[in-house]
Amino acid sequence: MKLFVPMILAGLALAPVAQARVCAVSIDSTDQMSFSSKEIKVAGDCSQVKLTLRHTGKLAATAMGHNWVLTQAADYQPVALAGMRMTLADSYLPKKDPRVLAHTAVIGGGQSTSVTFPTAALRKGGDYTFFCSFPGHFAMMKGRFVFG
Ligand SMILES: [Cu+2]
């Protein structure tokens, strides 16, 4: 966060400037191929989201890996199906696909990871889905992402 102080100084000089607000949310995943919640809400005044994914199980990433992927609801199934043809190194996601709004790495039991992404590309009240793109998981491991 070394950029933060210059940003504040710039904000003072050019006020009014919207305050940067990083909102932290977290979700757990398990050896039972599940997420701990079906809905994640982020307030509309958050400029960035820091999503932390924990894997509370014991199985390795190659057997029961999980990630957290965000897309528009309409893109969720096509992206998940395309991801099944990719590898663990690609996080089971098509490379540089603009439909992927944010995603974490794939983790195994006992691990945790996070991703920080701007909300600038999100529409307030838009219809977003989060899911795990590990092959075969997306039907069970999905939920609604609410912004606004
Ligand atoms: Cu998974």
Side-chain angles (χ1 to χ4, degrees):
M1 295 304 280
K2 279 185 179 139
L3 285 172
F4 202 64
V5 169
M7 277 171 62
I8 288 169
L9 295 176
L12 289 173
L14 300 168
V17 163
Q19 191 90 35
R21 186 153 106 89
V22 181
C23 300
V25 287
S26 65
I27 188 165
D28 289 352
S29 57
T30 71
D31 280 347
Q32 285 72 47
M33 207 194 290
S34 65
F35 280 130
S36 58
S37 55
K38 288 280 173 204
E39 186 171 273
I40 293 175
K41 285 185 178 168
V42 170
D45 63 346
C46 299
S47 52
Q48 295 197 72
V49 177
K50 183 182 182 189
L51 181 289
T52 300
L53 169 69
R54 280 182 302 252
H55 192 318
T56 59
K58 288 186 164 59
L59 296 172
T62 47
M64 185 53 73
H66 302 308
N67 62 358
W68 186 92
V69 183
L70 181 67
T71 65
Q72 304 244 30
D75 292 334
Y76 139 72
Q77 285 210 14
V79 169
L81 291 171
M84 289 179 75
R85 296 192 293 271
M86 304 305 290
T87 65
L88 176 59
D90 292 316
S91 299
Y92 298 109
L93 287 170
K95 288 179 200 280
K96 295 197 170 95
D97 192 315
R99 295 172 298 180
V100 176
L101 302 174
H103 76 91
T104 69
V106 176
I107 56 170
Q111 296 181 311
S112 144
T113 186
S114 69
V115 60
T116 301
F117 59 95
T119 58
L122 304 181
R123 221 164 9 89
K124 281 180 194 171
D127 202 1
Y128 299 101
T129 297
F130 68 83
F131 63 97
C132 170
S133 68
F134 190 98
H137 289 196
F138 70 92
M140 276 187 66
M141 298 187 70
K142 67 177 164 92
R144 206 164 158 243
F145 183 89
V146 179
F147 175 62

